[in-house]
Amino acid sequence: MRRVYLDNNATTPVLPEVFEAMRPYFAEQFGNASSIHHHGQETRAAVERARESVAALLGCRSSEVVFTSGGTEGDNLAISGLARAGDHVISSTIEHHAVLNSCKHLESMGCEVTYVPVDGRGLIDPSDVKRALRPNTKLISIMLANNETGVLQSVTEIGKIASEADVYFHTDAVQAAGKIPIDVNKIGCDLLSISGHKAHAPQGIGALYVRKGTSLEPRLHGGTHERSRRAGTENVPGIVGLGKAAEFAMAGFERGDRDDDRNDDRNDRKMAAKRDRLERELLEIEATGLNGDGAARVPNTTNIYFDGIEGEALVIALDLKGLAVSTGAACSSGAIEPSHVLTAMGLRIDRAKASIRFSFGKQNSAEDVDFALRVIPETVARLRQLSPLWPGSAVVSVNARHKLGLSS
Ligand code: PLP
C-alpha cells in the first residue's frame, strides 16, 4: 500500500545526509565529550562543529547555543529559567503547550501571565503586547511560527517593544527553524528555541539560543555541561545530526532555492509550490476554507476546514487510504476538544473540529500531492454523505443547514 506522509509539523524523517553524519557517533566515535582522552576529544570536536552550524543557522555566536533535548525543554528552560515569583510574563493564546504549560507553572509559583489574543488570521497585534507591559514584566514569550497554521508573527516588532521596555524576549521558533531564515539579532530576541525533529534531524535533540549576558537558572542540576546552563552528558549523535540539518537548511537559504536552479526536489521553493497546489485544489471543494488566510506563513503548512466533517474521522479515513495528516498539535490527537489555536482565531467550534493540517517535508514529492488530491476529495464527499451535519446526507436537520449557511 502506498503511504504518503503530510504531517511533518508533528515530526520529520531524518535526511539521509543527516543520518550518515550521525552514524559514526553511535559506535566508532562513542566518547563522552567531557572526557580528556582521545575518544572524548573526538566527540567534543564534533559537538563544537555542530554548535557552530546551529549558530550559523540562527545568526548568533556558538557560545550562545545550548543543546537541549528538544523544543519542550528549550521552552521550559527559557521561561522557567528566567521568571521568578512576583514577575509578570506576557505570552499569547496560541502558543504550543510547551509554552502555555510553562506559563501555567509560573502562575502556580506566584507569577502573573497575560495572554494576548490573536485576530481571525491568527496574528498577534504587537500593540497589544506593548499595552500589556507592566513595571514588573520580566519576559515576553511569543512564538515565531504556529505549529497548526504555520502563521508567522511580527517578532521583529515585538523584539523592538521588548528591548525598549528592557524586558527579555523569548520566541519559540520550533516550527520556523530550517523552513525560513532566522537571525536572532534581526528579531531582537534574547532566547529562541528550536527542535531537531521538526527539521529533519532526529527526535530528542534541540537547542536554545541564549543571548550573552542572559542569566538563566538551570532546570537540570548536575555537571557543568553546556557552560553550566544544561547539565547532562551531551547527546553526541543527536547534536551532530542537528548540526548537519542546520547546514543543509542554510545551504538551501544561501542558494535561494529557486524553482529552476536545482533538480533536487527538496528545495523550499518547490516545497511551497507543492503546498500551494494542494491548498488551491482543496479549496475548490465546496464549503472549505483556509485557516490563517491573509497572514504570512511558513512554506510547508496549510490548515483547511471541511464543513460538515469531524476532523478526527477524516484523519482516520485518510490514514486507511495511506495518507497521514493531522487535526493539529500531535499531542492533542485523539482528544475531542477543538484546537485552542483555531478557537482563539474565532473559528466556530464545529469548524475548528473540521480542520485538518497538512504539513510538508523535504522528502515530499509532486506525486505525493497528486496522491493526496486523489484521495482527499473522494473521502470528504463520502464522509459528508454520512454526516448528519451535511445537507446532502441522509439525515440533515434544519439546524445543520442553518449552521452551514445553507438554509434559505
Ligand atoms: N513548540 C512548537 C511550536 C512545537 O510545534 C513543538 C512540537 O510540536 C514544540 C514546541 C515541542 O517540541 P519537542 O517535540 O521537540 O519537544
Side-chain angles (χ1 to χ4, degrees), residues 278-289 304-307 309 314 358 372-381 384 390:
L278 179 74
E279 183 173 292
R280 210 172 37 246
E281 298 203 18
L282 290 182
L283 289 173
E284 279 174 16
I285 300 174
E286 68 174 317
T288 58
I304 293 174
Y305 64 79
F306 299 86
D307 276 343
I309 282 180
L314 183 52
F358 304 90
L373 287 171
R374 262 201 312 279
V375 298
I376 298 168
E378 67 187 28
T379 310
V380 168
R384 281 178 171 169
W390 188 248

Side-chain angles (χ1 to χ4, degrees), residues 240-269:
V240 168
L242 182 59
K244 188 69 188 178
E247 285 167 25
F248 196 91
M250 277 300 282
F253 298 145
E254 279 160 13
R255 279 195 310 269
D257 267 358
R258 292 204 319 274
D259 293 348
D260 54 352
D261 67 356
R262 286 188 90 215
N263 292 327
D264 193 341
D265 233 14
R266 298 179 297 181
N267 91 41
D268 289 340
R269 291 267 179 114

Side-chain angles (χ1 to χ4, degrees), residues 9 70-73 75 96 98 143 145 147 172 174-175 195 197-198:
N9 284 9
T72 301
E73 188 189 328
D75 288 345
H96 188 271
M143 72 199 322
N147 42 303
D172 174 337
V174 164
Q175 294 291 352
S195 174
H197 75 108
K198 310 292 186 178

Side-chain angles (χ1 to χ4, degrees), residues 9-10 96-97 147-148 326-334 339-341 357:
N9 284 9
H96 188 271
H97 284 107
N147 42 303
E148 296 191 31
S326 153
T327 49
C331 52
S332 68
S333 304
S339 142
H340 70 283
V341 174
R357 176 183 74 184

Side-chain angles (χ1 to χ4, degrees), residues 74-120:
D75 288 345
N76 274 262
L77 177 55
I79 294 167
S80 304
L82 259 186
R84 300 282 159 276
D87 288 338
H88 173 241
V89 172
I90 301 171
S91 190
S92 84
T93 50
I94 56 149
E95 300 296 313
H96 188 271
H97 284 107
V99 166
L100 286 178
N101 287 339
S102 290
C103 288
K104 277 216 185 102
H105 176 68
L106 289 185
E107 288 178 285
S108 75
M109 305 289 287
C111 289
E112 279 191 285
V113 183
T114 303
Y115 301 91
V116 293
V118 292
D119 65 15

